Structures are given as structure tokens and as C-alpha cells.
Amino acid sequence: MATDLNADYAQAGFGNRLGWGKRPALLIIDFVKAYLEKDCPLYAGVEKTRDAAEVLLQAARAAGIPVIHTNVVYTPGGVDGGVFFRKVKALSCFERDKHPQWAAFAEGLEPLPHEPVITKQYASAFFGTSLASTLASSGIDTLLIAGLSTSGCVRASALDACQHGFVPLVVRDAVGDRDTRVHEANLFDLNAKYADVIGLDEALTHLGR
């Protein structure tokens, strides 16, 4: 069934390879402890994803490419989260100062002082933020994407990267979701329409050059 699906999409013209540009940056989306702490409603069992993201982050730093992190912060009550905050009750975990232990960046993925942190209230790292301007002013043409979750903020950010003219490279091993079925379905669709989904090995090899 999977082979037939791949063949059907390919013959229809989906899934063309975008490839690497000349100046990549790494975007790590919302990799905070909320997704790793079992007492948090957002726990997603993404420990292996965290490990892969840390390897990718270290490689990006060694290669000297820009690294940008995102997190989510709401004012108490979530008025700045609008409909999204109303739809997903678990987002209350990110009300300012309510659960600092969950809002903290995951171990090994903490931003360095010179690495920008984009604070957002919605799924896409681009929506209502300075991300596109930050990338454009640095001459970035390619965006490596890691983080959480594949079906939510990763997908929305990859789509907006495409729509802003940046090549999105979603690193399969370094993005995660609370359910593998949802994870795989979204990776398939992203690779078909909006991004290149690549393995960690490819990313590390390219950065090593």
C-alpha cells in the first residue's frame, strides 16, 4: 500500500527534491521540558528525538551556521493565544510563570547567549514574529528544522518557511510527535508538497563539509 501511495504521488508530480541552498540555518522549535516530563499533559515520549536534536545542534554549532530557537509563552489567562489557546487546553502549561519547570528548554538544547529565541503564541514560528526578517537579513536560504511537534508547530513552520521563500529541510530523526502514525503521515505530506524530509545522517554529512 505504501509503495502504491508513493508511486501515485510521484507520477502526479509531487515530492520533487528541493536540495540544499548556499546558506543554511537551524531552527529548533519548542523543544522544552513539557514534552519530556511525564506529569505534564503535553508529554510526548520524544526522548530519542531530543537525543537526535542535540546531535544536530552540536553539528550546527560546530559548522558555524546560525541557530534559532523558539518557545511559547502566554500572558496569564491566554488572551494573546486567541482561538488556538481555547482549542488546545494543554497550552495553559505555557502561561507565563505558571509552570517554569515545563517551560524551560530541554537539557542539552538550551540556547547559547548569542542564539536568538523567538517567542510565539501560535503554531508557526513565522506567524506574528520577526523570524522571516531575521533569516532574510542574514542571507539564509535554507532552514533545517528540528523540534516539536511534527503535526503542529513543525508542520506549520515548514509550510510558512516554504511560503516565505526558504527551503525547509525537516530532519526526520530530530522532529517528533505523541503518536507515530500522526508523525509519519505529516512527514509524508510535508515531503510531498512543502519540504524535503531528510535523515539525520544526511544533515550531519552536509554540515561536516
Side-chain angles (χ1 to χ4, degrees):
M1 184 67 176
T3 302
D4 293 340
L5 183 62
N6 289 330
D8 175 62
Y9 271 67
Q11 65 84 28
F14 292 96
N16 296 298
R17 173 83 175 184
L18 294 168
W20 292 73
K22 294 181 179 179
R23 185 158 172 78
L26 171 62
L27 177 67
I28 302 183
I29 300 172
D30 301 349
F31 225 129
V32 296
K33 292 182 179 179
Y35 299 99
L36 297 162
E37 300 288 343
K38 293 185 178 180
D39 59 338
C40 179
L42 288 169
Y43 174 72
V46 288
E47 289 79 5
K48 290 183 178 179
T49 306
R50 191 220 65 85
D51 295 345
E54 183 178 6
V55 171
L56 180 62
L57 174 59
Q58 295 302 327
R61 287 171 173 165
I65 71 168
V67 176
I68 299 169
H69 307 255
T70 75
N71 64 356
V72 176
V73 178
Y74 297 106
T75 56
V79 65
D80 50 349
V83 174
F84 186 39
F85 189 88
R86 287 166 47 202
K87 180 67 176 178
V88 184
K89 291 183 179 180
L91 291 175
S92 64
C93 295
F94 298 133
E95 290 182 52
R96 183 177 289 110
D97 301 325
K98 186 175 183 180
H99 297 289
Q101 76 280 15
W102 292 340
F105 285 98
E107 184 177 354
L109 298 173
E110 301 92 344
L112 295 179
H114 67 279
E115 294 173 351
V117 176
I118 301 290
T119 297
K120 60 191 182 68
Q121 286 76 44
Y122 290 87
S124 172
F126 289 89
F127 184 79
T129 77
S130 61
L131 179 57
S133 297
T134 299
L135 296 173
S137 66
S138 299
I140 301 301
D141 59 9
T142 303
L143 201 56
L144 281 167
I145 298 176
L148 306 167
S149 62
T150 312
S151 61
C153 298
V154 169
R155 180 189 176 90
S157 300
L159 172 58
D160 273 0
C162 174
Q163 293 176 152
H164 280 85
F166 305 104
V167 173
L169 302 180
V170 178
V171 184
R172 170 184 290 275
D173 314 79
V175 298
D177 215 308
R178 61 192 305 119
D179 189 286
T180 56
R181 296 166 297 182
V182 175
H183 171 74
E184 292 296 337
N186 278 274
L187 288 179
F188 179 90
D189 199 54
L190 281 169
N191 192 62
K193 300 173 184 174
Y194 309 115
D196 286 356
V197 175
I198 66 172
L200 179 61
D201 288 345
E202 178 183 338
L204 296 179
T205 297
H206 191 92
L207 291 173
R209 294 173 185 162

